Amino acid sequence: MRYASQSVWVDIVSDLGNELRAALTGGQLTVEYQPQFELEGATATPGRPVAVEALCRWHHPTRGLVMPDVFIPVAEREHIITALDAHVLLVAAQQVRQWQLDGYALGLSVNASPTHMSPEYADAVIDALDDLGLSHGSLAIEITESPAPQLAPEAIAILPRLRSEGIAVSLDDFGGGDTTIDMLDALPIDEIKIDRSITQRTDDDADHEVAAVVAHAERQGWRVVAEGIETEDDLERSRRRGCHRGQGFLWGPPVPAPRLEEMLAG
Ligand code: C2E
Ligand code: MG
Ligand code: MG
């Protein structure tokens, strides 16, 4: 029984894998943008975003909208994550370059799965930026720790090359996993994103934890971004804790490019 149900599961996953492969070439994968703001002086009716995070969406012909929490693990398992990440980077870098040409000084963050990071990946990122004329300093690459508290050694080896090219490396979802503050110094990073589970915690322990991360980050010259700011209270708390930037539903969810343009213009 157990074996049968497992094989059904494997079939479903590989079906999804094949569909995802088709989606990649068939235009079903789109990119949404969520704005980031400087927290100093930020309010719920803020000025201009300073950067956007690109987040992938799958418009499946029969299943409807599929979210990344479902398809990113499939893409990783099926070894198409690097192609997917590269697709998102190309689309988003082109879009942000256009916004810059339109007069909006915006940075771009993209997510990258460290599980299959290779030297070819780094080359592809740099080539893409150079082809599009997007400055290396405009880009941050967000990586999340692997299931174990350490990132894959292969991924860690790629990161210094990206940084030496002026591309920022950001550690996503910090505080949501097992990485501790002592482990950070071993990582070649420029930015830490505080997981929304910590951003939204109101207790003193969380206050101290984030303040300690910020103090450490400032000594290292890293930026700290608070994720998951949903309320004025979340904003006030993150500001009090010293976070430099924020992102969250208070300002808006990820949206397609035209909606983000309305925000830029408004
Ligand atoms: P992430 O990189 O941590 O992205 C932030 C996620 O939190 C997004 O979910 C966003 O919609 C959600 N979020 C933002 N603000 C708030 C808030 O105030 N409250 C709440 N409850 N949620 C908020 P999304 O778009 O579903 O993405 C989920 C994860 O999937 C991402 O987490 C990222 O790890 C991964 N992902 C998305 N796109 C890509 C991609 O192109 N490549 C890779 N490798 N991973 C991706
Ligand atoms: Mg992210
Ligand atoms: Mg995150």
Side-chain angles (χ1 to χ4, degrees), residues 203-213 241:
D203 54 289
D204 291 350
D205 279 356
D207 280 352
H208 293 143
E209 201 180 311
V210 178
V213 171
R241 290 167 171 177

Side-chain angles (χ1 to χ4, degrees), residues 135-228:
S135 69
H136 295 188
S138 298
L139 182 68
I141 296 201
E142 299 188 6
I143 47 158
T144 312
E145 64 189 45
S146 337
Q150 286 93 12
L151 285 161
E154 310 80 62
I156 295 206
I158 307 300
L159 302 179
R161 162 134 165 77
L162 293 170
R163 297 183 74 213
S164 74
E165 290 283 341
I167 295 164
V169 173
S170 174
L171 183 67
D172 208 349
D173 303 334
F174 181 76
D178 299 319
T179 308
T180 62
I181 200 166
D182 314 320
M183 295 172 180
L184 291 175
D185 288 342
L187 298 174
I189 57 174
D190 305 277
E191 179 183 274
I192 300 173
K193 296 188 83 175
I194 305 290
D195 192 69
R196 75 163 179 270
S197 61
I198 311 292
T199 296
Q200 296 178 356
R201 253 172 62 190
T202 58
D203 54 289
D204 291 350
D205 279 356
D207 280 352
H208 293 143
E209 201 180 311
V210 178
V213 171
V214 171
H216 190 87
E218 286 181 348
R219 281 194 294 274
Q220 301 278 16
W222 301 335
R223 179 164 61 208
V224 180
V225 182
E227 289 197 277

Side-chain angles (χ1 to χ4, degrees), residues 28-39:
Q28 294 168 23
L29 295 184
T30 65
V31 180
E32 293 195 339
Y33 302 89
Q34 187 179 33
Q36 295 182 351
F37 296 89
E38 293 293 338
L39 286 194

Side-chain angles (χ1 to χ4, degrees), residues 41-65:
T43 66
T45 49
R48 295 255 173 87
V50 287
V52 291
E53 178 175 0
L55 293 151
C56 189
R57 301 290 179 258
W58 182 5
H59 302 269
H60 190 284
T62 56
R63 294 174 213 265
L65 180 64

